[in-house]
Amino acid sequence: MTEKNIEKKTETVTVDQFIARPPERVWAALTQPDLLGRWWAPSDIRPEVGHRFHLQMPTWGPQPAEVLEVREPELLVYTFADWTLTWRLVAEGRGTRLILEHSGFDLDDPQHRFAFDNMGPGWRDAVLPRLAQLLESD
């Protein structure tokens, strides 16, 4: 019998948001629990590889997360429930280009399909603009 290694094809939501603040300020909003809770979800995040924490999602409750990669102030990668969030910060003029990749959606799984269909617009139209508004108002 021959064993086949079939790798699941997954999809990624990518969102690009300009924020009129320097990367260090955007980094703080991604990595400081009090700030993260003001625009997205309360958590006990810490930008240290291997740190395990929870994001307190309003509808879903506490979701497990683990920091995978940190390059301050330009890259933060962590797991989030079944997915991976990759935050890239690129200095642009007097601000920051924030690029979010939310990856690992298995579109054959109905829950993943539902999340994929809703999280793209949610990140783009609500969550990241809320981050930009918070930072640009202080």
Side-chain angles (χ1 to χ4, degrees), residues 27-119:
W27 180 263
L30 296 174
T31 61
Q32 293 179 10
D34 58 322
L35 289 174
L36 185 64
R38 289 176 58 196
W39 64 271
W40 186 34
S43 78
D44 52 336
I45 192 169
R46 201 169 55 236
E48 297 172 6
V49 172
H51 175 64
R52 292 177 185 219
F53 63 102
H54 286 87
L55 291 158
Q56 303 296 326
M57 304 309 294
T59 305
W60 306 101
Q63 297 298 308
E66 181 178 354
V67 177
L68 302 177
E69 191 173 350
V70 175
R71 231 176 25 244
E72 184 177 348
E74 58 194 42
L75 179 69
L76 177 65
V77 182
Y78 54 85
T79 60
F80 162 56
D82 292 340
W83 306 289
T84 301
L85 298 180
T86 301
W87 303 90
R88 297 180 194 285
L89 293 76
V90 180
E92 184 175 306
R94 295 184 179 173
T96 303
R97 177 71 51 191
L98 178 62
I99 301 160
L100 167 64
E101 293 177 353
H102 186 160
S103 62
F105 293 96
D106 174 3
L107 300 185
D108 292 331
D109 177 314
Q111 288 181 318
H112 276 230
R113 167 61 78 173
F114 177 82
F116 179 80
D117 290 344
N118 289 282
M119 287 186 180

Side-chain angles (χ1 to χ4, degrees), residues 125-136:
D125 301 335
V127 180
L128 293 187
R130 192 166 49 239
L131 167 61
Q133 183 178 27
L134 171 72
L135 291 176
E136 291 170 5

